[in-house]
Amino acid sequence: MSFKVIKSGFLSLIEDYGRFGFAQYGLCQSGVADEHAYCWANHLLENHFNDAILEITFGGCELKALTDSFIVVTGADLDFKIDGKTQPLWQVISIKSGDTLTWSVAKNGMRTYLAVKGGFQTDQLFNSRSVTLREQIGLQLMEEDELLSHANSSKVVQHSIPSHFLPDYKPDLTLRLLPSYQFDQFDQQQKETFFNQRYAISGASDRTGCRLEGQRIQNIPSTMISEGISYGSVEITTQGLPIILLKDRPTIGGYPKIGTVFSLDLAKLAQNQSGSTVSFELIDIETAQKERRDFNTFFAIN
Amino acid sequence: MAGENAIIIYFGDRVSSDLIEKISFYTQLLTDELAELIIDVVPSYTSLMVSYKLNLVNHDGFCQQVEQILLSKSVVSDSYSFKVIEIPVYYDVDVGLDLEDLLNYKNLSLAQFIEIHSSTKYLVYAIGFSPAFAFLGEVDERIRKPRLQNPRIKIPAGSVGIADNQTAVYPANSSGGWNIIGKTPMDLSLDNPENLTRFIVGDHVRFIPIDKQQYLSLGGLL
């Protein structure tokens, strides 16, 4: 036994690296929204890269520790405290049975990650512990839930993140876009509209997609034949506005796509609330693959 | 290209059963031949998306391997065995929320409608929208009807719907805009995790009409 949920918060979900191998049956990828913060949390605890964490969105969450353990909190600053005292993020903390952990309000970013030594031991479904509300797989955290983790008495090194790896969650992002899918079918004027503006993130965004508001791209065909949609692909709806498809997206969709946002930029996007802005610039496949491969190697993701 | 570790292959630009057979064949072939590199495959009406492990191969290398395999073998229809799945359906206004409208719209009797809908062997063209939701085609012209203008908030699990030339079973409770014409007592939901892999693109589905008593005895709910 490890934690008891006193307050569940706005939206708190157990997630891991994601659910793979079942897309052909319509099952979505799911998994953490911010891979950077997630991977650092597990890395600092010397966990496996796929260990399950708690993704807390916006805060309002309170947990009581039922056993001694080691934890790391990364991602957004949601005013994390233990027994009322502010705690550091991005480093291993030793907690004692009876400690109360709280996250109140978002001060910088919007999603925080609680990792525990050994990972949370919730039920696996289709090779993953990720909760996917849209597919009715698992449930969001509820009051009175008990979160189990591996009882682990092994010695833990009190790692913290080297400061140059600390992310800076800016409200205005530039997302790097691979020219993929129907990129070549958008004409010059449509591309100019897309690349030459800063879009505002809509409040209707969620783990399925990030909806953008701004100047509309004209003359978008109403529908196309549905096809597989990848993480980060950018649909342009019939109204001419982009939706960036995220971890809980369906497996197929029927809007034209102007490109695909590089995954590590999506990690940053996961910390941006409605009202902040994004723009797009192109990235080539070699650069994207090298950067992602370096990331995978560093965190032992295979 | 579909992403930093994904490609999409287009096999044609018109939807047809021949094209689906081709796509499903190559989906199986690639999955077998490149098992170590492939993360996921998503076959759909005219295309196949494949994601791969970029730690092991880069974009150009993967494309080359895929191309070689696609060129090496032409479709041999019986080299992979696709299933025929039988699904019992109770066609009645009790459970078919839009059945009456559809019969009026097409000027058909219930018996005629059942005969037409259940006499076709449907092909699985795509899976998506939600897990284990199989888009089946092709629906006979005599019973086609466009999607509802206002989608329903809640369609009960097991409902069978028609949207234009496609038909499908809703595996779980969900929202949706298809014309509901009946219901199966079969549990296709993920409450039984084995249901996830019940359909694959290239399989066939046959609907078997059942009466109210059979529907209830098979566990169907009204």
Side-chain angles (χ1 to χ4, degrees):
Chain A
M1 227 176 290
S2 186
F3 294 97
K4 181 154 198 143
V5 180
I6 309 298
K7 288 184 197 159
S8 56
F10 174 77
L11 178 66
S12 306
L13 304 169
I14 293 289
E15 298 290 337
D16 59 16
Y17 190 66
R19 191 168 273 120
F20 297 97
F22 299 98
Q24 62 176 318
Y25 306 107
L27 203 60
C28 81
Q29 175 183 351
S30 196
V32 291
D34 179 345
E35 291 183 0
H36 177 266
Y38 163 76
C39 287
W40 268 107
N42 276 331
H43 180 73
L44 293 171
L45 285 164
E46 299 179 26
N47 282 349
H48 187 269
F49 81 88
N50 192 33
D51 278 348
I53 49 73
L54 183 65
E55 178 177 281
I56 302 167
T57 302
F58 290 131
C61 183
E62 182 174 332
L63 306 178
K64 193 176 181 71
L66 302 179
T67 49
D68 297 355
S69 55
F70 293 95
I71 63 160
V72 168
V73 175
T74 63
D77 179 359
L78 303 185
D79 199 16
F80 170 48
K81 290 176 177 163
I82 296 178
D83 290 342
K85 285 192 209 97
T86 299
Q87 299 294 319
L89 307 185
W90 307 93
Q91 73 176 57
V92 175
I93 297 171
S94 160
I95 58 167
K96 300 284 167 235
S97 176
D99 283 355
T100 299
L101 289 65
T102 56
W103 294 265
S104 52
V105 292
K107 296 168 103 176
N108 186 16
M110 61 183 268
R111 292 184 169 101
T112 207
Y113 291 88
L114 167 66
V116 61
K117 180 70 185 166
F120 287 112
Q121 301 298 308
T122 54
D123 290 339
Q124 279 200 337
L125 195 56
F126 308 116
N127 292 344
S128 168
R129 295 191 161 87
S130 288
V131 171
T132 318
L133 297 181
R134 196 178 57 75
E135 292 180 344
Q136 300 161 28
I137 294 178
L139 296 168
Q140 71 184 78
L141 206 64
M142 314 267 239
E143 277 167 37
E144 300 293 310
D145 280 356
E146 280 176 11
L147 284 174
L148 307 184
S149 67
H150 260 316
N152 196 317
S153 55
S154 67
K155 180 115 178 71
V156 169
V157 183
Q158 306 259 323
H159 294 294
S160 62
I161 192 174
S163 59
H164 59 280
F165 285 119
L166 267 178
D168 175 16
Y169 299 135
K170 292 188 210 133
D172 304 304
L173 279 179
T174 300
L175 301 173
R176 290 169 291 171
L177 183 94
L178 287 158
S180 63
Y181 287 109
Q182 289 78 37
F183 179 80
D184 290 333
Q185 290 162 37
F186 287 85
D187 66 28
Q188 200 52 38
Q189 198 185 348
Q190 291 173 322
K191 283 178 189 160
E192 276 173 20
T193 308
F194 179 76
F195 285 104
N196 293 344
Q197 67 169 307
R198 291 206 72 86
Y199 286 101
I201 295 176
S202 154
S205 302
D206 57 17
R207 285 177 43 88
T208 298
C210 176
R211 291 168 177 271
L212 302 180
E213 287 165 352
Q215 193 195 336
R216 288 160 191 247
I217 301 173
Q218 300 298 314
N219 304 319
I220 298 298
S222 57
T223 50
M224 50 170 280
I225 297 168
S226 282
E227 60 187 29
I229 48 183
S230 63
Y231 180 46
S233 53
V234 183
E235 287 181 339
I236 308 295
T237 64
T238 316
Q239 283 81 42
L241 291 172
I243 301 176
I244 306 170
L245 295 162
L246 301 174
K247 290 285 174 76
D248 284 359
R249 72 196 179 282
T251 53
I252 60 173
Y255 287 115
K257 294 164 290 295
I258 197 167
T260 310
V261 177
F262 177 51
S263 61
L264 296 180
D265 291 357
L266 296 171
K268 296 176 189 162
L269 180 67
Q271 297 296 351
N272 279 28
Q273 302 191 19
S274 77
S276 52
T277 68
V278 298
S279 64
F280 296 91
E281 65 181 28
L282 286 174
I283 184 176
D284 61 65
I285 183 73
E286 291 79 14
T287 309
Q289 291 202 322
K290 183 182 183 308
E291 207 171 306
R292 182 69 208 204
R293 204 176 287 126
D294 290 348
F295 180 87
N296 289 355
T297 305
F298 182 86
F299 290 110
I301 295 167
N302 55 42
Chain B
M1 197 201 301
E4 73 206 41
N5 70 334
I7 61 169
I8 184 159
I9 307 158
Y10 295 99
F11 291 87
D13 52 16
R14 290 179 66 90
V15 180
S16 74
S17 56
D18 288 351
L19 195 62
I20 291 298
E21 273 163 19
K22 188 171 169 181
I23 293 169
S24 52
F25 169 79
Y26 283 118
T27 303
Q28 300 295 312
L29 184 67
L30 285 173
T31 310
D32 286 350
E33 301 275 320
L34 298 178
E36 272 121 61
L37 301 182
I38 288 178
I39 298 172
D40 265 307
V41 287
V42 184
S44 185
Y45 300 92
T46 56
S47 64
L48 168 62
M49 184 174 90
V50 187
S51 59
Y52 57 92
K53 296 174 181 167
L54 55 67
N55 293 16
L56 304 181
V57 64
N58 67 14
H59 176 74
D60 287 345
F62 188 69
C63 287
Q64 274 167 23
Q65 293 195 46
V66 167
E67 210 165 302
Q68 265 177 17
I69 290 164
L70 294 184
L71 292 173
S72 71
K73 285 218 175 96
S74 57
V75 178
V76 186
S77 59
D78 55 358
S79 54
Y80 289 104
S81 54
F82 291 99
K83 308 181 288 292
V84 179
I85 300 139
E86 295 195 334
I87 298 179
V89 179
Y90 173 43
Y91 297 94
D92 193 275
V93 291
D94 278 356
V95 289
L97 308 169
D98 303 300
L99 188 56
E100 201 167 351
D101 282 351
L102 198 146
L103 295 180
N104 291 336
Y105 176 73
K106 289 293 188 181
N107 202 16
L108 289 170
S109 71
L110 179 59
Q112 288 170 319
F113 174 84
I114 294 175
E115 164 62 22
I116 298 168
H117 189 258
S118 63
S119 62
T120 304
K121 194 168 91 172
Y122 297 98
L123 176 64
V124 178
Y125 277 72
I127 295 173
F129 171 66
S130 64
F133 187 101
F135 292 85
L136 308 171
E138 192 174 12
V139 168
D140 192 295
E141 293 228 28
R142 290 170 291 171
I143 56 169
R144 288 182 192 176
K145 193 167 181 286
R147 284 175 170 77
L148 304 179
Q149 291 212 324
N150 294 310
R152 287 200 168 80
I153 302 289
K154 192 178 171 191
I155 292 173
S159 294
V160 181
I162 287 178
D164 296 312
N165 60 352
Q166 301 188 98
T167 185
V169 183
Y170 282 87
N173 292 338
S174 89
S175 58
W178 292 37
N179 300 280
I180 304 303
I181 48 133
K183 212 169 154 195
T184 179
M186 248 169 111
D187 173 25
L188 295 172
S189 77
L190 297 188
D191 291 349
N192 173 6
E194 284 174 18
N195 280 332
L196 179 67
T197 54
R198 192 181 282 271
F199 306 103
I200 198 162
V201 170
D203 283 345
H204 284 90
V205 170
R206 206 179 257 295
F207 293 112
I208 312 294
I210 54 171
D211 63 26
K212 188 170 187 170
Q213 206 175 349
Q214 289 169 307
Y215 175 75
L216 294 172
S217 70
L218 289 167
L221 301 172
L222 292 177

